[in-house]
Amino acid sequence: MVIILIIGGSASQKLGAEVANELGEYLCPIETKKFPDGERYIRIKGNIEEKVVVIQSTGYPQDENLIELLLIIKNLKSLGAKEIKVVIPYFGYGRQEKRFKEGEAISAEIIANLIQSSGANEVISIDLHEDSVRNFFNIPSKNISATGPIADYIANKTNDPIIIAPDKGALGFAEEISKILECDSSYLNKVRISPEKVETQIADIAINSVKGKDAFVVDDIIATGGTIVNAIAILKKHGAKSVSVCCVHPILVNDAILKIYAAGAKSIAGTDSLKSEVSCISVAKIIADAVR
Ligand code: R5P
């Protein structure tokens, strides 16, 4: 098997190298560049084996990373690869998996079609915002979860955590983590007023259960940080000893990190599904296990 490393401005170079290390497989360099007019160039610089794993998140700049991924997959096929497993740790456009308003493009479906038709034989992603995105593929797909690595991270930080979902949608995720850690979990109620503004209220969380505890707010994505900022305010108000934040995909738009610290977070940690200042939880092992 050959692990393809994507180099030069691509999204998952270090993660690709770590997965290759975990698997003890060959890391194949790729030359990538941008022509002066902005178009992308890729050249695979190793011998192509029959089985190949490509690792590339399609976060910001989404369109460039996506085009690069399509060029790599199609090129591998035409160079003789027979089985291409495509790992997309963060699946860009995955949040538009349906038509919320009439006339909208179902972006996740269109992107899935492109990836499949370029020659992918299997797709693996991590904590897809909606698992239903997998239905857009007619090839095998896996949606693996980073709950294990996140639970390990929290276990190293405190003996007495409570795991908090900042909205009901994240409750299953929070419960998985609390099950691993054998601790309590609960959730808050979030109402999204607009893409930029959310309001959060205390839900059926036993208010006293956060009192004096190290609360860890866990979510799949931190984008603007609005959801987390609201959660921190509520948890502090109800007596949490400290509030820390963990997410799978640290998108972190603009000043999100500053906003979250200014709201009183003790720490922010995300996985390396996306490169960021807080990407300190590795998903290399769960990816390696999924492609074995
Ligand atoms: C929403 O359902 C997601 O799980 C996240 O809570 C959301 O994407 C976070 O967005 P933001 O950081 O902009 O509040």
Side-chain angles (χ1 to χ4, degrees), residues 14 27 32 38-39 45 67-68 75 99 112 126 131 144 159 182 186 192 212 215 243 262 276 290:
K14 184 162 173 266
L27 185 60
T32 70
E39 290 180 1
K45 292 169 88 178
I67 290 294
E68 191 176 287
N75 193 28
R99 207 163 260 137
I126 302 179
D131 187 60
I144 60 174
N159 297 323
E182 297 178 345
S186 195
R192 188 165 282 281
V243 183
S276 80

Coordinates of all heavy atoms in Angstrom, one line a residue, residues 14 27 32 38-39 45 67-68 75 99 112 126 131 144 159 182 186 192 212 215 243 262 276 290:
K14 N 1.1 16.8 7.3 CA 1.7 16.2 8.6 C 0.8 15.0 9.0 O 1.3 14.0 9.4 CB 1.7 17.3 9.7 CG 2.3 16.8 10.9 CD 2.7 18.0 11.8 CE 3.2 17.6 13.2 NZ 2.1 17.6 14.2
L27 N 5.4 6.8 2.3 CA 4.8 8.1 2.1 C 5.3 8.7 0.8 O 6.5 8.9 0.6 CB 5.3 9.0 3.3 CG 4.8 10.4 3.4 CD1 3.2 10.3 3.6 CD2 5.4 11.0 4.6
T32 N 3.0 20.0 -5.7 CA 1.8 20.8 -6.0 C 2.2 22.3 -6.2 O 3.2 22.7 -5.5 CB 0.7 20.8 -4.9 OG1 1.2 21.5 -3.8 CG2 0.3 19.4 -4.6
G38 N -3.6 31.1 -11.1 CA -4.3 30.6 -10.0 C -4.7 29.1 -10.2 O -5.1 28.4 -9.3
E39 N -4.5 28.5 -11.4 CA -4.8 27.1 -11.6 C -3.8 26.2 -10.9 O -2.7 26.6 -10.7 CB -4.8 26.8 -13.1 CG -6.0 27.5 -13.8 CD -6.1 27.2 -15.3 OE1 -5.2 26.4 -15.8 OE2 -7.0 27.7 -15.9
K45 N 5.1 11.9 -7.3 CA 6.5 11.6 -7.6 C 7.0 10.3 -7.1 O 8.2 10.0 -7.0 CB 7.3 12.7 -6.9 CG 7.1 14.1 -7.5 CD 7.7 15.2 -6.7 CE 9.1 15.5 -7.0 NZ 9.6 16.6 -6.2
I67 N -10.3 20.8 -5.5 CA -9.8 20.6 -6.9 C -8.5 19.7 -6.8 O -8.3 18.8 -7.6 CB -9.5 21.9 -7.6 CG1 -10.8 22.7 -7.9 CG2 -8.7 21.7 -8.8 CD1 -11.7 22.0 -8.9
E68 N -7.7 20.0 -5.8 CA -6.4 19.3 -5.7 C -6.7 17.8 -5.5 O -6.1 16.9 -6.0 CB -5.6 19.9 -4.6 CG -4.2 19.3 -4.5 CD -3.4 20.0 -3.4 OE1 -3.1 21.2 -3.6 OE2 -3.2 19.4 -2.4
N75 N -5.7 11.4 -11.3 CA -4.3 11.1 -11.8 C -3.9 9.7 -11.3 O -3.3 9.0 -12.1 CB -3.4 12.2 -11.3 CG -2.1 12.2 -12.0 OD1 -2.0 11.8 -13.1 ND2 -1.0 12.6 -11.3
R99 N -31.7 21.0 1.0 CA -32.2 22.3 0.6 C -32.9 22.9 1.7 O -34.0 22.6 2.0 CB -33.1 22.1 -0.6 CG -33.2 23.1 -1.6 CD -33.8 22.7 -2.9 NE -32.8 22.4 -3.9 CZ -32.8 21.3 -4.7 NH1 -33.7 20.4 -4.7 NH2 -31.8 21.2 -5.6
A112 N -19.9 15.1 -3.2 CA -19.7 13.6 -3.1 C -19.7 13.0 -4.5 O -18.9 12.1 -4.8 CB -20.9 13.0 -2.3
I126 N -14.3 12.0 9.1 CA -14.4 12.0 10.6 C -15.5 12.9 11.1 O -15.6 14.1 10.7 CB -13.0 12.5 11.2 CG1 -11.9 11.6 10.7 CG2 -13.1 12.5 12.7 CD1 -10.5 12.0 11.2
D131 N -24.4 12.4 9.3 CA -24.0 11.1 8.8 C -24.7 10.8 7.4 O -24.1 10.1 6.6 CB -24.4 10.0 9.8 CG -23.8 8.7 9.4 OD1 -22.6 8.6 9.3 OD2 -24.6 7.8 9.2
I144 N -16.0 7.9 10.8 CA -15.4 7.5 12.0 C -15.4 8.6 13.0 O -15.6 9.8 12.6 CB -13.9 6.9 11.9 CG1 -13.0 8.0 11.2 CG2 -13.9 5.7 11.0 CD1 -11.6 7.6 11.2
N159 N -9.4 15.0 36.6 CA -10.0 13.7 37.1 C -11.5 13.9 37.3 O -12.2 12.9 37.6 CB -9.5 13.4 38.5 CG -8.0 13.1 38.5 OD1 -7.5 12.6 37.5 ND2 -7.3 13.6 39.5
E182 N -16.4 7.7 31.9 CA -17.2 7.3 33.0 C -17.5 8.5 33.9 O -17.2 8.5 35.1 CB -16.5 6.2 33.8 CG -16.4 4.9 33.0 CD -15.7 3.8 33.7 OE1 -15.1 4.0 34.8 OE2 -15.8 2.6 33.2
S186 N -24.1 16.5 29.9 CA -25.4 17.1 29.7 C -25.4 18.1 28.5 O -24.4 18.1 27.8 CB -25.8 17.9 31.0 OG -27.2 18.2 30.9
R192 N -30.5 29.1 16.8 CA -29.7 29.9 15.9 C -30.6 31.0 15.3 O -31.6 30.8 14.6 CB -29.1 29.1 14.8 CG -28.1 29.8 13.9 CD -27.2 28.9 13.0 NE -26.2 28.2 13.7 CZ -25.0 28.8 14.0 NH1 -24.8 30.1 13.7 NH2 -24.1 28.1 14.7
G212 N -18.7 23.6 40.6 CA -17.4 23.1 41.1 C -16.7 22.1 40.2 O -15.7 21.5 40.6
A215 N -15.8 21.8 33.5 CA -16.7 21.5 32.4 C -15.9 21.5 31.1 O -15.0 22.4 30.9 CB -17.8 22.6 32.4
V243 N -14.0 26.1 32.5 CA -14.6 25.7 31.3 C -13.5 25.5 30.2 O -12.8 26.5 29.9 CB -15.7 26.7 30.8 CG1 -16.4 26.1 29.6 CG2 -16.7 26.9 31.9
A262 N -11.5 35.1 25.5 CA -12.0 36.3 26.2 C -13.3 36.0 27.0 O -13.6 36.6 28.0 CB -12.3 37.4 25.2
S276 N -4.6 24.2 12.6 CA -4.9 25.4 13.3 C -4.0 25.5 14.5 O -3.2 24.6 14.8 CB -6.3 25.4 13.8 OG -6.5 24.7 15.0
A290 N -8.8 2.8 10.4 CA -9.9 2.7 9.5 C -9.5 2.3 8.1 O -10.3 1.8 7.3 CB -10.6 4.1 9.4

